[in-house]
Amino acid sequence: MWTRIYLLFGLVRLYFALSPSYIHPDENFQGPEVVAGESIARSYLFSTCFDSATDFCMRPTYEREVCELIESVLNLCSRMHKNQLTQCLAGRIFSFPHHSTWEFSPSAPTRSAFPLLGVYGLPMILLRWLWTETGNEIVAPKIIYYTLRIVMFILSFVLEDWAIYELVHSPRQRRIAVILVASSYVTWTYQTHTFSNAVETLVVLWTLVLIRRILDNKQRSSVFTAAILGSLVVFGVFNRITFPAFILYPGVLLVPHFFRKPLTLLSLVCSALFTLFLALLTDHYFYTPDLPYASIFSLPPTPLRSLLYNLSPGNLSHHGLHPPYTHFLLNLPLLLGPAFILLINPPYSLHLLPPLFATIILSLIPHQEARFLLPAIPLFLSGTHLPRSRRATRIFVVTWVVFNALIAILMGVYHQGGVVPMQLHLGSLGTTTVTPRLLPNTTVLWWRTYSPPIWLLDGSTLQTVDLMGTPFPQLLSAIVNHTGSCGAEANVASAAGSLRDILVVAPRSSRELDPYRTGLVPGWHWDEAWTAWRHLNLDDMDWGEDGVAWTLGRVVGRRGLTAWRVGRECET
């Protein structure tokens, strides 16, 4: 029975992995948006630098042994000029337009490109190789998007559940822990999205697994396990600066073991130093490929920049400041639901100590988002004990299932769920590879949505303007600026053939648009072009002015994200 329940929750996890909801902009702009446009992870088989250096890529590689292929590539790169090597490493996987956020600014980057290579770059390279083998040159962004979602699902389904299985020794408690993690909406939604926090969760869990293996092996020095642990720790630090908070307490337990087994410490340090060099080299070629090699060690590493940035309250004030109790009183109950009540009641488990210490440390930082605690959720659930009475257990199971089902449908299906389908649809209309149904210079104004991923436009000539949550008068001003005004200037523009198509993408629940899209305001025409119906805009709730019932009726009843073709009607 337990196996059937677990497999059922696995199918539910796959369903939400393939649902294009949009939980937070960072799941795109700190991952696929960066790698799909410009990345250090371009495969040698697709680098143009090989075409000029040798005819290596022209020969059928499938006739060689794998080791011979790797040796040839390494020998070739060792003979290449620095500029050619840089071109290989700093090339593009896909030539998609993309938007680089401030974290990836070459002048002062705070995010590393190193973890992006392994998590997103390698699947993209493999996908492109498989695609070209079928005779197709271009991989559609839609294929890439869902491929990455499947990759995140596999990583969660295999690595996360496997780690929980190893961390919990009691067979009965192990079944409960695995089922709780597999049935959590956090696992269904956050862990199947391309969040750096989701990657951090996997790295934290397997760091704890490796520490447990080292501590349990009292007879020999766990040289190989320690080497993997060293690389994993460096990877975790370069992925997110919050990673050390989750392994601080388990790491302290290793100190006595290192005194007894110094070879374990030596193996860990050597592996960590080698991985650190690879990470620094990767960031060097990604951000500053023109600087000399010596600058690799002279410039501050990206984790240090990120730490210094997040230690400044002035910097964090741009992202929102929260009281120190936010994680414990708001974020943990939101992520754990009914399981939070079980955590505060005895008996207590030792599995609660690492996530508890991490939550305390992260509570010292004034900017506190719920997703920062993602690595703690499976650890908290693995230390959760069910109530002793059958009646209390049944009440918990019912509330647990209902809570996770409702939140999963909200966050995994409807939350900003129309942004990705809308962007994919617009890209298919405006691309130059098919018969265009939009003018080449069409401008798309996005209003009251999360920032749309630019790379999903598939090289389209559409011009995206992200207005985010600006006041409605600014939206009107932007429309006027792009459509022009009535009069002699408009006639001249029309005669010159420079009129522009204007599309406005906004939630259907925005009441400010009602007079315009219904034709009550003269001089305008708003023609509905396309609608993504699975979309809820939770940032458009005015409880104080409209009341709870009317607000929910408007936001939920008028759900959907619509693209309107907007134009001016000038009198002649």
Side-chain angles (χ1 to χ4, degrees), residues 129-442:
W129 177 76
L130 293 174
W131 213 254
T132 54
E133 287 295 311
T134 62
N136 299 311
E137 294 295 331
I138 301 176
V139 186
K142 184 176 182 179
I143 302 297
I144 303 171
Y145 176 84
Y146 285 107
T147 298
L148 293 179
R149 284 291 188 89
I150 293 177
V151 168
M152 296 303 295
F153 162 77
I154 295 175
L155 292 177
S156 172
F157 189 72
V158 176
L159 296 183
E160 183 179 9
D161 297 0
W162 183 6
I164 296 299
Y165 190 87
E166 287 212 21
L167 289 175
V168 182
H169 286 172
S170 170
R172 180 180 182 275
Q173 185 61 28
R174 179 187 296 159
R175 288 195 298 266
I176 296 175
V178 171
I179 293 298
L180 285 178
V181 172
S183 60
S184 171
Y185 86 91
V186 175
T187 305
W188 295 344
T189 57
Y190 283 95
Q191 284 299 130
T192 57
H193 286 224
T194 50
F195 280 112
S196 61
N197 311 90
V199 177
E200 183 184 28
T201 300
L202 301 177
V203 179
V204 167
L205 290 177
W206 275 96
T207 299
L208 299 183
V209 169
L210 295 179
I211 292 177
R212 171 67 65 82
R213 291 180 179 179
I214 293 175
L215 294 177
D216 290 343
N217 188 3
K218 302 182 183 301
Q219 301 298 326
R220 300 179 180 179
S221 298
S222 304
V223 177
F224 180 72
T225 305
I228 300 177
L229 177 61
S231 298
L232 204 58
V233 168
V234 174
F235 183 91
V237 172
F238 273 78
N239 178 63
R240 287 193 64 84
I241 195 58
T242 55
F243 170 77
F246 293 94
I247 65 168
L248 180 61
Y249 171 76
V252 173
L253 301 179
L254 279 176
V255 175
H257 183 85
F258 288 151
F259 282 103
R260 296 192 302 268
K261 307 290 184 181
L263 285 180
T264 304
L265 176 61
L266 179 62
S267 174
L268 186 148
V269 171
C270 292
S271 175
L273 290 177
F274 177 74
T275 309
L276 175 62
F277 173 75
L278 292 181
L280 295 175
L281 185 67
T282 299
D283 286 343
H284 168 76
Y285 281 122
F286 187 84
Y287 292 113
T288 57
D290 298 329
L291 294 181
Y293 291 117
S295 63
I296 297 177
F297 303 101
S298 61
L299 297 177
T302 50
L304 179 59
R305 292 181 184 270
S306 178
L307 178 63
L308 296 177
Y309 180 90
N310 286 280
L311 290 178
S312 173
N315 294 333
L316 297 181
S317 63
H318 299 293
H319 308 276
L321 300 180
H322 307 92
Y325 55 79
T326 301
H327 277 325
F328 280 100
L329 298 186
L330 295 178
N331 293 336
L332 278 181
L334 175 64
L335 296 172
L336 292 172
F340 180 77
I341 301 177
L342 299 183
L343 288 179
I344 60 180
N345 293 321
Y348 302 112
S349 171
L350 294 177
H351 292 286
L352 301 179
L353 291 179
L356 181 61
F357 273 96
T359 306
I360 293 175
I361 295 175
L362 296 181
S363 297
L364 302 177
I365 303 175
H367 179 61
Q368 302 178 23
E369 297 183 29
R371 60 191 177 93
F372 295 168
L373 298 180
L374 290 189
I377 302 307
L379 296 175
F380 276 128
L381 293 178
S382 64
T384 300
H385 293 274
L386 295 180
R388 295 179 179 178
S389 66
R390 289 188 176 181
R391 183 173 181 273
T393 299
R394 291 173 182 174
I395 294 176
F396 168 76
V397 170
V398 172
T399 55
W400 173 257
V401 172
V402 172
F403 169 80
N404 285 283
L406 292 178
I407 302 299
I409 292 174
L410 174 63
M411 303 301 295
V413 177
Y414 286 99
H415 187 268
Q416 297 286 330
V419 175
V420 170
M422 177 66 71
Q423 194 74 323
L424 291 173
H425 178 75
L426 294 178
S428 65
L429 296 180
T431 181
T432 56
T433 61
V434 298
T435 303
R437 283 175 278 178
L438 294 175
L439 295 179
N441 57 351
T442 298

Side-chain angles (χ1 to χ4, degrees), residues 47 50 64 107-108 118 193 221 224 232 311 473 499 510 525 547:
S47 296
F50 282 97
R64 299 183 182 85
S107 59
H193 286 224
S221 298
F224 180 72
L232 204 58
L311 290 178
L499 288 178
S510 299
H525 65 84

